[in-house]
Short mmCIF file of all heavy atoms in Angstrom, two decimals:
data_model
loop_
_atom_site.label_atom_id
_atom_site.label_comp_id
_atom_site.label_asym_id
_atom_site.label_seq_id
_atom_site.Cartn_x
_atom_site.Cartn_y
_atom_site.Cartn_z
N LEU A 1 0.82 -1.22 0.00
CA LEU A 1 0.00 0.00 0.00
C LEU A 1 0.85 1.26 0.00
O LEU A 1 0.39 2.32 -0.45
CB LEU A 1 -0.94 0.00 1.21
CG LEU A 1 -2.12 -0.96 1.18
CD1 LEU A 1 -2.77 -1.05 2.55
CD2 LEU A 1 -3.14 -0.52 0.13
N LEU A 2 2.06 1.16 0.49
CA LEU A 2 2.95 2.32 0.61
C LEU A 2 3.89 2.45 -0.59
O LEU A 2 4.69 3.38 -0.65
CB LEU A 2 3.77 2.22 1.89
CG LEU A 2 3.00 1.95 3.19
CD1 LEU A 2 3.95 1.92 4.37
CD2 LEU A 2 1.91 2.99 3.40
N SER A 3 3.80 1.52 -1.53
CA SER A 3 4.76 1.47 -2.63
C SER A 3 4.42 2.50 -3.70
O SER A 3 3.27 2.63 -4.13
CB SER A 3 4.78 0.07 -3.26
OG SER A 3 5.64 0.05 -4.38
N ALA A 4 5.46 3.21 -4.15
CA ALA A 4 5.33 4.12 -5.29
C ALA A 4 5.87 3.49 -6.57
O ALA A 4 5.91 4.14 -7.62
CB ALA A 4 6.07 5.42 -5.00
N ASP A 5 6.28 2.21 -6.50
CA ASP A 5 6.79 1.51 -7.68
C ASP A 5 5.65 1.15 -8.63
O ASP A 5 4.47 1.26 -8.28
CB ASP A 5 7.52 0.23 -7.27
CG ASP A 5 8.81 0.51 -6.50
OD1 ASP A 5 9.24 1.67 -6.48
OD2 ASP A 5 9.34 -0.45 -5.92
N THR A 6 6.03 0.66 -9.80
CA THR A 6 5.06 0.20 -10.78
C THR A 6 5.39 -1.22 -11.22
O THR A 6 6.54 -1.65 -11.17
CB THR A 6 5.03 1.11 -12.02
OG1 THR A 6 6.31 1.08 -12.66
CG2 THR A 6 4.67 2.54 -11.65
N THR A 7 4.37 -1.93 -11.65
CA THR A 7 4.50 -3.21 -12.32
C THR A 7 3.72 -3.12 -13.62
O THR A 7 2.53 -2.76 -13.60
CB THR A 7 3.96 -4.36 -11.46
OG1 THR A 7 4.81 -4.54 -10.33
CG2 THR A 7 3.93 -5.66 -12.26
N GLY A 8 4.37 -3.41 -14.74
CA GLY A 8 3.70 -3.28 -16.02
C GLY A 8 3.21 -1.87 -16.26
O GLY A 8 2.21 -1.66 -16.97
N GLY A 9 3.89 -0.89 -15.66
CA GLY A 9 3.49 0.50 -15.78
C GLY A 9 2.34 0.90 -14.88
O GLY A 9 1.89 2.06 -14.95
N ARG A 10 1.89 0.01 -14.02
CA ARG A 10 0.74 0.28 -13.16
C ARG A 10 1.22 0.53 -11.73
O ARG A 10 2.08 -0.18 -11.21
CB ARG A 10 -0.23 -0.90 -13.17
CG ARG A 10 -0.60 -1.40 -14.54
CD ARG A 10 -1.37 -0.40 -15.36
NE ARG A 10 -2.66 -0.09 -14.78
CZ ARG A 10 -3.64 0.56 -15.42
NH1 ARG A 10 -3.44 0.98 -16.66
NH2 ARG A 10 -4.79 0.80 -14.82
N PRO A 11 0.67 1.55 -11.05
CA PRO A 11 1.12 1.91 -9.70
C PRO A 11 0.70 0.87 -8.66
O PRO A 11 -0.49 0.62 -8.47
CB PRO A 11 0.45 3.26 -9.45
CG PRO A 11 -0.77 3.24 -10.33
CD PRO A 11 -0.39 2.44 -11.54
N ILE A 12 1.67 0.30 -7.96
CA ILE A 12 1.39 -0.81 -7.05
C ILE A 12 0.52 -0.37 -5.89
O ILE A 12 -0.51 -0.99 -5.59
CB ILE A 12 2.71 -1.41 -6.56
CG1 ILE A 12 3.44 -2.09 -7.72
CG2 ILE A 12 2.46 -2.42 -5.44
CD1 ILE A 12 4.84 -2.56 -7.38
N GLY A 13 0.93 0.69 -5.18
CA GLY A 13 0.20 1.10 -3.98
C GLY A 13 -1.23 1.51 -4.27
O GLY A 13 -2.17 1.07 -3.60
N ALA A 14 -1.41 2.36 -5.28
CA ALA A 14 -2.75 2.85 -5.61
C ALA A 14 -3.65 1.70 -6.07
O ALA A 14 -4.84 1.66 -5.73
CB ALA A 14 -2.67 3.93 -6.69
N GLU A 15 -3.08 0.77 -6.83
CA GLU A 15 -3.92 -0.32 -7.33
C GLU A 15 -4.26 -1.34 -6.25
O GLU A 15 -5.35 -1.91 -6.27
CB GLU A 15 -3.26 -1.00 -8.53
CG GLU A 15 -3.28 -0.11 -9.76
CD GLU A 15 -3.17 -0.87 -11.07
OE1 GLU A 15 -2.80 -2.06 -11.05
OE2 GLU A 15 -3.47 -0.27 -12.11
N LEU A 16 -3.37 -1.59 -5.30
CA LEU A 16 -3.74 -2.48 -4.19
C LEU A 16 -4.85 -1.85 -3.35
O LEU A 16 -5.80 -2.52 -2.95
CB LEU A 16 -2.53 -2.80 -3.32
CG LEU A 16 -2.83 -3.68 -2.11
CD1 LEU A 16 -3.47 -5.01 -2.52
CD2 LEU A 16 -1.58 -3.93 -1.29
N ARG A 17 -4.73 -0.56 -3.12
CA ARG A 17 -5.80 0.12 -2.37
C ARG A 17 -7.13 0.00 -3.11
O ARG A 17 -8.17 -0.29 -2.51
CB ARG A 17 -5.44 1.60 -2.15
CG ARG A 17 -6.51 2.37 -1.37
CD ARG A 17 -6.16 3.84 -1.25
NE ARG A 17 -7.25 4.57 -0.62
CZ ARG A 17 -7.39 4.78 0.67
NH1 ARG A 17 -6.49 4.28 1.51
NH2 ARG A 17 -8.43 5.45 1.15
N GLU A 18 -7.11 0.21 -4.43
CA GLU A 18 -8.34 0.11 -5.21
C GLU A 18 -8.88 -1.33 -5.21
O GLU A 18 -10.10 -1.54 -5.17
CB GLU A 18 -8.09 0.59 -6.63
CG GLU A 18 -9.24 0.37 -7.61
CD GLU A 18 -10.53 1.09 -7.23
OE1 GLU A 18 -10.49 1.98 -6.36
OE2 GLU A 18 -11.58 0.74 -7.80
N ALA A 19 -7.98 -2.31 -5.24
CA ALA A 19 -8.42 -3.71 -5.19
C ALA A 19 -9.13 -4.00 -3.88
O ALA A 19 -10.20 -4.65 -3.86
CB ALA A 19 -7.24 -4.65 -5.38
N LEU A 20 -8.57 -3.52 -2.77
CA LEU A 20 -9.22 -3.72 -1.48
C LEU A 20 -10.56 -2.99 -1.43
O LEU A 20 -11.55 -3.51 -0.90
CB LEU A 20 -8.31 -3.25 -0.35
CG LEU A 20 -7.06 -4.11 -0.11
CD1 LEU A 20 -6.12 -3.41 0.86
CD2 LEU A 20 -7.45 -5.48 0.45
N ARG A 21 -10.60 -1.77 -1.96
CA ARG A 21 -11.88 -1.04 -1.99
C ARG A 21 -12.91 -1.82 -2.77
O ARG A 21 -14.07 -1.92 -2.37
CB ARG A 21 -11.68 0.34 -2.62
CG ARG A 21 -12.97 1.18 -2.63
CD ARG A 21 -13.00 2.19 -3.74
NE ARG A 21 -13.00 1.57 -5.06
CZ ARG A 21 -14.06 1.00 -5.63
NH1 ARG A 21 -15.22 0.92 -4.98
NH2 ARG A 21 -13.97 0.47 -6.85
N ARG A 22 -12.48 -2.40 -3.88
CA ARG A 22 -13.43 -3.07 -4.75
C ARG A 22 -13.99 -4.34 -4.10
O ARG A 22 -15.20 -4.60 -4.20
CB ARG A 22 -12.76 -3.39 -6.08
CG ARG A 22 -13.71 -3.67 -7.20
CD ARG A 22 -13.03 -3.62 -8.53
NE ARG A 22 -13.93 -4.13 -9.57
CZ ARG A 22 -13.58 -4.33 -10.82
NH1 ARG A 22 -12.35 -4.05 -11.22
NH2 ARG A 22 -14.46 -4.80 -11.70
N VAL A 23 -13.15 -5.13 -3.43
CA VAL A 23 -13.70 -6.33 -2.79
C VAL A 23 -14.56 -5.95 -1.58
O VAL A 23 -15.52 -6.67 -1.26
CB VAL A 23 -12.61 -7.33 -2.37
CG1 VAL A 23 -11.87 -7.85 -3.59
CG2 VAL A 23 -11.66 -6.77 -1.33
N HIS A 24 -14.24 -4.83 -0.93
CA HIS A 24 -15.11 -4.38 0.16
C HIS A 24 -16.46 -3.91 -0.37
O HIS A 24 -17.52 -4.31 0.12
CB HIS A 24 -14.44 -3.25 0.94
CG HIS A 24 -15.30 -2.62 1.97
ND1 HIS A 24 -16.11 -1.52 1.72
CD2 HIS A 24 -15.54 -2.95 3.26
CE1 HIS A 24 -16.78 -1.20 2.81
NE2 HIS A 24 -16.46 -2.05 3.76
N ASP A 25 -16.44 -3.06 -1.40
CA ASP A 25 -17.68 -2.46 -1.88
C ASP A 25 -18.52 -3.43 -2.71
O ASP A 25 -19.75 -3.43 -2.62
CB ASP A 25 -17.37 -1.23 -2.73
CG ASP A 25 -16.77 -0.08 -1.92
OD1 ASP A 25 -16.64 -0.23 -0.69
OD2 ASP A 25 -16.40 0.94 -2.53
N ASP A 26 -17.89 -4.26 -3.53
CA ASP A 26 -18.64 -5.11 -4.47
C ASP A 26 -18.91 -6.51 -3.93
O ASP A 26 -19.85 -7.17 -4.39
CB ASP A 26 -17.87 -5.24 -5.78
CG ASP A 26 -17.73 -3.92 -6.52
OD1 ASP A 26 -18.37 -2.94 -6.10
OD2 ASP A 26 -16.97 -3.86 -7.50
N ILE A 27 -18.08 -6.98 -2.99
CA ILE A 27 -18.25 -8.33 -2.46
C ILE A 27 -18.59 -8.31 -0.97
O ILE A 27 -19.09 -9.29 -0.42
CB ILE A 27 -16.97 -9.17 -2.72
CG1 ILE A 27 -16.69 -9.24 -4.23
CG2 ILE A 27 -17.09 -10.58 -2.17
CD1 ILE A 27 -15.40 -9.96 -4.59
N GLY A 28 -18.33 -7.19 -0.30
CA GLY A 28 -18.68 -7.06 1.11
C GLY A 28 -17.61 -7.54 2.07
O GLY A 28 -17.90 -7.74 3.26
N VAL A 29 -16.37 -7.75 1.59
CA VAL A 29 -15.32 -8.31 2.44
C VAL A 29 -14.99 -7.35 3.59
O VAL A 29 -14.80 -6.15 3.37
CB VAL A 29 -14.07 -8.63 1.62
CG1 VAL A 29 -12.95 -9.15 2.51
CG2 VAL A 29 -14.39 -9.64 0.53
N ARG A 30 -14.86 -7.92 4.78
CA ARG A 30 -14.70 -7.11 5.99
C ARG A 30 -13.29 -7.09 6.55
O ARG A 30 -12.92 -6.14 7.24
CB ARG A 30 -15.64 -7.62 7.08
CG ARG A 30 -17.11 -7.60 6.71
CD ARG A 30 -17.99 -7.95 7.91
NE ARG A 30 -17.72 -9.29 8.41
CZ ARG A 30 -18.33 -10.39 8.01
NH1 ARG A 30 -19.25 -10.31 7.04
NH2 ARG A 30 -18.06 -11.58 8.53
N THR A 31 -12.49 -8.14 6.34
CA THR A 31 -11.16 -8.20 6.93
C THR A 31 -10.14 -8.64 5.88
O THR A 31 -10.48 -9.31 4.90
CB THR A 31 -11.09 -9.15 8.13
OG1 THR A 31 -11.39 -10.48 7.70
CG2 THR A 31 -12.06 -8.74 9.22
N VAL A 32 -8.87 -8.29 6.13
CA VAL A 32 -7.79 -8.66 5.24
C VAL A 32 -6.63 -9.17 6.08
O VAL A 32 -6.28 -8.61 7.11
CB VAL A 32 -7.36 -7.47 4.35
CG1 VAL A 32 -6.94 -6.26 5.16
CG2 VAL A 32 -6.25 -7.90 3.39
N ARG A 33 -6.04 -10.27 5.62
CA ARG A 33 -4.91 -10.89 6.30
C ARG A 33 -3.72 -10.93 5.35
O ARG A 33 -3.87 -11.27 4.18
CB ARG A 33 -5.31 -12.30 6.75
CG ARG A 33 -4.19 -13.08 7.42
CD ARG A 33 -3.95 -14.35 6.67
NE ARG A 33 -2.97 -15.23 7.31
CZ ARG A 33 -2.15 -16.01 6.64
NH1 ARG A 33 -2.17 -16.02 5.32
NH2 ARG A 33 -1.29 -16.78 7.28
N ALA A 34 -2.55 -10.56 5.86
CA ALA A 34 -1.37 -10.45 5.01
C ALA A 34 -0.12 -10.84 5.79
O ALA A 34 -0.10 -10.85 7.02
CB ALA A 34 -1.24 -9.02 4.48
N HIS A 35 0.96 -11.13 5.04
CA HIS A 35 2.25 -11.49 5.62
C HIS A 35 3.07 -10.25 6.00
O HIS A 35 2.84 -9.15 5.51
CB HIS A 35 3.09 -12.28 4.60
CG HIS A 35 2.51 -13.58 4.16
ND1 HIS A 35 1.70 -14.35 4.96
CD2 HIS A 35 2.65 -14.27 2.99
CE1 HIS A 35 1.37 -15.45 4.29
NE2 HIS A 35 1.93 -15.42 3.10
N HIS A 36 4.11 -10.50 6.82
CA HIS A 36 5.30 -9.66 6.94
C HIS A 36 5.04 -8.28 7.54
O HIS A 36 5.75 -7.32 7.21
CB HIS A 36 5.96 -9.54 5.56
CG HIS A 36 7.41 -9.17 5.61
ND1 HIS A 36 8.29 -9.69 6.52
CD2 HIS A 36 8.15 -8.31 4.83
CE1 HIS A 36 9.50 -9.18 6.32
NE2 HIS A 36 9.43 -8.34 5.29
N ILE A 37 4.08 -8.16 8.43
CA ILE A 37 3.84 -6.83 9.02
C ILE A 37 5.01 -6.42 9.91
O ILE A 37 5.30 -5.22 10.07
CB ILE A 37 2.50 -6.80 9.81
CG1 ILE A 37 2.06 -5.36 10.06
CG2 ILE A 37 2.60 -7.59 11.11
CD1 ILE A 37 1.75 -4.59 8.80
N LEU A 38 5.74 -7.40 10.47
CA LEU A 38 6.88 -7.04 11.31
C LEU A 38 8.11 -6.67 10.49
O LEU A 38 9.17 -6.35 11.07
CB LEU A 38 7.21 -8.20 12.27
CG LEU A 38 6.10 -8.53 13.28
CD1 LEU A 38 6.55 -9.64 14.21
CD2 LEU A 38 5.68 -7.30 14.07
N GLY A 39 7.99 -6.66 9.19
CA GLY A 39 9.02 -6.07 8.34
C GLY A 39 8.91 -4.57 8.25
O GLY A 39 9.76 -3.92 7.64
N CYS A 40 7.89 -4.00 8.88
CA CYS A 40 7.66 -2.55 8.89
C CYS A 40 7.92 -1.99 10.28
O CYS A 40 7.76 -2.68 11.28
CB CYS A 40 6.22 -2.24 8.49
SG CYS A 40 5.72 -2.89 6.90
N ASP A 41 8.29 -0.71 10.34
CA ASP A 41 8.36 -0.06 11.65
C ASP A 41 6.96 0.43 12.03
O ASP A 41 6.03 0.36 11.24
CB ASP A 41 9.38 1.08 11.65
CG ASP A 41 9.08 2.19 10.65
OD1 ASP A 41 7.89 2.42 10.32
OD2 ASP A 41 10.04 2.85 10.19
#
């Protein structure tokens, strides 16, 4: 979510945020589980 990099010319952070918004709004998903949170301060 914090990444300013791109993949295939597409912005990683902005598109992950939009993907989460879309599954929340269109599918109703309430929680998200992910790896490696202790890799962040």
Side-chain angles (χ1 to χ4, degrees):
L1 287 168
L2 309 181
S3 176
D5 292 349
T6 63
T7 292
R10 311 295 296 194
I12 293 172
E15 288 203 345
L16 178 57
R17 180 184 174 90
E18 172 61 15
L20 290 170
R21 182 207 64 76
R22 199 165 170 187
V23 297
H24 174 269
D25 293 357
D26 295 351
I27 301 176
V29 177
R30 301 187 299 270
T31 62
V32 57
R33 177 238 185 213
H35 298 330
H36 202 41
I37 197 64
L38 297 183
C40 303
D41 60 28

